[in-house]
Amino acid sequence: MSLCFSVSESAFNLRYGFRDSEPMGQSLKIRVKTGTRKGFCPSKVVCVDYPRPDIDNTSNFLEAAYLSSSFRTSPRPSKPLKVVIAGAGLAGLSTAKYLADAGHKPLLLEARDVLGGKVAAWKDGDGNWYETGLHIFFGAYPNIQNLFGELGINDRLQWKEHSMIFAMPNKPGEFSRFDFPEVLPAPLNGILAILRNNEMLTWPEKVKFAIGLLPAIIGGQAYVEAQDGLTVQEWMRKQGVPDRVTTEVFIAMSKALNFINPDELSMQCILIALNRFLQEKHGSKMAFLDGNPPERLCLPIVEHIQSLGGEVRLNSRVQKIELNDDGTVKNFLLTNGNVTDGDAYVFATPVDILKLQLPENWKEMAYFKRLEKLVGVPVINIHIWFDRKLKNTYDHLLFSRSSLLSVYADMSLTCKEYYNPNQSMLELVFAPAEEWTSCSDSEIIDATMKEFAKLFPDEISADQSKAKIVKYHVVKTPRSVYKTIPNCEPCRPLQRSPVEGFYLAGDYTKQKYLASMEGAVLSGKLCAQAIVQDYVLLAARGKGRLAEASMCP
C-alpha cells in the first residue's frame, strides 16, 4: 500500500486545534486523491486522534498497578530514610518517585542541567526542541502507562492507529503495512496483521516463520530466556526460517529495539518483544508524547517527588563513591566539592558510567565483575527541518529498512508541540552508529540525505535540489542502552547489591522488559521496593552511625 500525504493547513488545524483541557479521541478522516503514475496507486490519507486504548484491565497493567499501590499503602516509616540517587533519567526518577510514595526522602542528583537521561532534550535558539532519541510509548508498557495515570497526564500521549508501517526499499516512496484489526483479540489480531501483508513476505515464508515460532509460543518465558545464547540470525536459521524473513522484517526490528543488526542481537530480545506485543490486544499500539520529554514527562515526576518532601538537584555530578572502613558507602563526593551522605545510596546512571565510578575494592566482587560484558551501544539521533511540507510521509512511526537508518517520524505531524503546517521536521535514529560516531555532523547529514533520497525520491534529493534543509541537529550518544548480544542476560544485576545500603537502577538491571523506557521505570520500582523491604536494616545502620558520631571526641 503506497501512501501520499497531502492535507491542507486548515485540515491540520482541525487535527491539532483542540485545547489542552479538551479530551483526545475526536477523529477526523481526510481522504485525498492524488495523481497516478506507473507503479504508484492513489492513496487514502487518514488523520485520527485515537483514544487511549483499553489497557487498564490487562494482567500486566494490573500487576504494575499493584506494585505502584504497594508503596502508597506501605506502613509509614517512623523515621524516613534519606536515599541519595545518582542520575535523573527515568530509572532514577522512578526510584525517587516510588520511595517518596512510600514516605521516604529521596535526594536525586543529576550531573547535567537537564532531566531525562536517555530521554533528555534541549531547546535551540529558535525555540525548537531536539531530543536524545525518538521515543515511542507502547500499550505493552504497563509500568509507563501506570506512571502516566498516577501523575494525571494520560492526555499527554498521542495514540496512533494500530499499525506497523515499513518503507519499501525496492519500491521507493511506498510503504507496506501490518494493520491490527480492532475486532479481534490477541494474538489473533497480530496473526491476521501478518497474514494480510503480502508485500514483504510470501505465504511459504509466513508458514515457515510461524512454524519456527511454535516452540516460543508453547515453551513460554522459560523458552524465551533459553534463547539468549543465539543471535537473531542464528535462531532463524536453526528454526528453518528463510533468511529473507530476517532481511525483510527483523533487520528493521533489531535496529529499532537495540540499534544493532540481527547477526549481533540476542534472539531473546526479539522474543521478549514479540511476547509482550502479541499477547495483548493493544500491546503493539504506539503513542507519541505530545511534546518534549523533560517538560512533559520528567517535570511532573519531579514535582510529585518535591510535593512529598523529596529533592532534585541538577548540575550535581558524582566524582567519587567514598567508602567506610567496612566497604560500605560513606558518601558521594561531587565534582563541585560538596559531600552528600544518606541512609542508602542508588546509582541510576547508564552501566558504563557506573563501571567508571566503582571503587577498586568492589571490582572483584562477582556481582560487579559481571558488569564488564554490559556495554552501551552508540546511537545517533538526527533532526532535520525542511523548507516545505513533505507529502510522502505519515502520522506514525515508520521503519525505514535502510542500511543506515532505523526508524523515523515526521514530528511536525506526530507531535502536538512540534506541529508545523508548512514545514516537515524529520526525526530519525541513525543505526548502527558505531562507525559513524567519530564522523562530523555534516558527514552524517550527507549520508542521511542520500538515504532519504531513496525514501522520498519525488521530494528529496541528496544535493537538495528538491526539499532544502533549513537546519539540523545531530545528537550523539556514545553509550546508550546496553548492547544486547548473546549471553548478556546472566550479567544483568539485581537492584539490591551485595554492598549493604547500595542499590542499582537502570534498564540494564534485572527486569522482565527490554532495555527501554519501560525497563527503566520498572527497574526504579524494583529498586525502591528493595529499599523499602530493607527499611529496618537501613534504619538500624543509620542509628549506628549516629551513635558512633556521638561518641567521637
Side-chain angles (χ1 to χ4, degrees):
M1 176 179 180
S2 61
L3 299 172
C4 227
F5 211 104
S6 177
V7 183
S8 69
E9 179 178 347
S10 60
F12 276 112
N13 288 339
L14 285 172
R15 162 73 168 89
Y16 285 92
F18 51 80
R19 296 184 296 276
D20 288 345
S21 60
E22 294 179 336
M24 296 181 68
Q26 301 299 316
S27 64
L28 168 66
K29 295 188 177 181
I30 306 170
R31 288 173 173 79
V32 179
K33 291 185 177 181
T34 62
T36 60
R37 56 181 169 81
K38 186 176 180 181
F40 192 86
C41 300
S43 62
K44 178 180 68 175
V45 175
V46 180
C47 290
V48 180
D49 282 335
Y50 288 85
R52 184 173 182 270
D54 182 17
I55 57 178
D56 293 7
N57 293 316
T58 63
S59 59
N60 284 329
F61 185 92
L62 293 173
E63 178 186 337
Y66 177 77
L67 180 54
S68 293
S69 69
S70 70
F71 297 103
R72 299 189 297 271
T73 59
S74 63
R76 297 298 89 179
S78 55
K79 183 182 183 302
L81 297 173
K82 178 184 177 183
V83 184
V84 184
I85 305 167
L90 289 180
L93 288 165
S94 173
T95 304
K97 190 266 185 193
Y98 292 105
L99 282 172
D101 283 349
H104 297 290
K105 304 299 179 188
L107 170 57
L108 192 55
L109 306 174
E110 168 54 43
R112 300 188 295 183
D113 62 354
V114 62
L115 297 166
K118 298 187 191 79
V119 301
W122 300 265
K123 185 181 285 189
D124 67 16
D126 300 320
N128 297 126
W129 287 89
Y130 56 101
E131 305 178 359
T132 305
L134 182 54
H135 308 293
I136 304 299
F137 298 82
F138 287 94
Y141 279 4
N143 291 283
I144 282 274
Q145 298 301 335
N146 268 277
L147 179 61
F148 272 84
E150 293 159 26
L151 297 170
I153 57 172
N154 274 331
D155 61 345
R156 296 187 182 184
L157 287 178
Q158 294 184 254
W159 291 94
K160 307 304 177 184
E161 62 182 319
H162 199 171
S163 302
M164 298 181 72
I165 305 174
F166 291 75
M168 298 289 285
N170 57 329
K171 297 179 181 179
E174 300 188 29
F175 299 93
S176 182
R177 300 167 54 99
F178 292 88
D179 293 313
F180 293 71
E182 291 295 318
V183 295
L184 292 178
L188 295 179
N189 62 342
I191 293 172
L192 188 58
I194 294 170
L195 293 179
R196 289 196 303 187
N197 183 301
N198 295 315
E199 296 166 313
M200 292 175 66
L201 299 178
T202 65
W203 273 96
E205 289 166 344
K206 293 175 190 176
V207 170
K208 289 180 180 179
F209 178 48
I211 293 173
L213 275 180
L214 281 177
I217 297 171
I218 297 170
Q221 187 65 23
Y223 178 87
V224 170
E225 292 181 1
Q227 307 314 302
D228 182 47
L230 296 173
T231 66
V232 175
Q233 187 177 77
E234 289 169 343
W235 184 91
M236 293 287 183
R237 289 175 177 173
K238 179 184 175 184
Q239 298 303 113
V241 179
D243 282 351
R244 218 181 71 84
V245 175
T246 303
T247 301
E248 290 295 299
V249 178
F250 287 99
I251 288 179
M253 285 193 65
S254 296
K255 294 204 292 186
L257 289 171
N258 199 239
F259 314 118
I260 56 178
N261 283 316
D263 60 347
E264 290 189 281
L265 182 68
S266 167
M267 186 61 192
Q268 185 194 40
C269 183
I270 291 286
L271 290 176
I272 288 173
L274 291 176
N275 187 37
R276 301 290 176 233
F277 294 161
L278 296 180
Q279 292 304 315
E280 296 180 19
K281 179 177 180 178
H282 302 292
S284 56
K285 199 161 191 176
M286 305 178 205
F288 285 71
L289 191 61
D290 68 355
N292 70 89
E295 291 182 350
R296 302 299 288 169
L297 172 57
C298 299
L299 189 57
I301 305 175
V302 170
E303 291 170 344
H304 179 87
I305 293 166
Q306 292 173 334
S307 74
L308 295 175
E311 187 179 352
V312 180
R313 298 178 188 170
L314 300 178
N315 298 306
S316 299
R317 185 181 299 274
V318 175
Q319 177 177 308
K320 184 180 181 182
I321 302 172
E322 297 194 315
L323 304 183
N324 295 305
D325 292 340
D326 63 358
T328 58
V329 180
K330 181 179 181 181
N331 57 56
F332 285 170
L333 173 64
L334 308 186
T335 54
N336 60 15
N338 292 337
V339 172
T340 304
D341 59 8
D343 300 301
Y345 300 86
V346 178
F347 241 67
T349 68
V351 65
D352 301 276
I353 294 176
L354 168 66
K355 289 189 289 186
L356 291 174
Q357 296 281 5
L358 284 178
E360 284 299 320
N361 55 341
W362 288 5
K363 290 182 179 179
E364 293 308 310
M365 295 183 187
Y367 174 90
F368 293 112
K369 195 169 182 60
R370 285 194 293 268
L371 298 177
E372 292 176 4
K373 186 163 184 178
L374 303 181
V375 178
V377 63
V379 177
I380 298 173
N381 202 56
I382 301 172
H383 305 69
I384 302 178
W385 284 260
F386 288 95
D387 66 347
R388 66 195 67 183
K389 201 73 178 175
L390 299 174
K391 298 177 182 178
N392 196 33
T393 184
Y394 207 73
D395 182 15
H396 212 297
L397 178 74
L398 301 169
F399 293 83
S400 74
R401 300 175 73 210
S402 152
S403 60
L404 294 180
L405 310 181
S406 172
V407 290
Y408 70 95
D410 187 341
M411 298 297 281
S412 70
L413 298 176
T414 61
C415 176
K416 181 180 175 183
E417 184 179 13
Y418 302 163
Y419 165 68
N420 188 322
N422 302 313
Q423 295 178 320
S424 285
M425 188 275 274
L426 299 186
E427 181 176 348
L428 59 127
V429 179
F430 195 98
E434 191 162 2
E435 296 179 2
W436 290 86
T437 52
S438 60
C439 295
S440 68
D441 289 357
S442 61
E443 289 174 319
I444 292 170
I445 291 296
D446 287 344
T448 300
M449 288 296 287
K450 289 177 182 177
E451 293 300 303
F452 273 158
K454 301 173 187 176
L455 295 172
F456 298 85
D458 292 338
E459 300 184 88
I460 296 178
S461 61
D463 63 1
Q464 296 190 54
S465 59
K466 298 174 183 177
K468 293 178 172 53
I469 296 176
V470 175
K471 66 177 179 180
Y472 62 80
H473 289 291
V474 176
V475 181
K476 297 178 182 178
T477 304
R479 293 286 182 264
S480 182
V481 296
Y482 81 94
K483 193 173 185 179
T484 312
I485 58 176
N487 301 311
C488 276
E489 192 63 27
C491 302
R492 299 177 72 181
L494 295 172
Q495 287 75 29
R496 182 188 287 112
S497 87
V499 177
E500 193 174 279
F502 185 76
Y503 303 81
L504 299 179
D507 57 13
Y508 69 92
T509 62
K510 191 71 174 177
Q511 41 82 21
K512 64 180 181 179
Y513 288 88
L514 307 169
S516 59
M517 293 185 292
E518 171 68 11
V521 170
L522 177 54
S523 78
K525 293 174 83 168
L526 295 175
C527 182
Q529 182 184 53
I531 293 171
V532 171
Q533 291 171 346
D534 293 348
Y535 171 70
V536 174
L537 172 66
L538 296 170
R541 288 182 69 247
K543 290 179 181 177
R545 288 197 304 274
L546 286 175
E548 289 176 9
S550 65
M551 294 174 61
C552 291

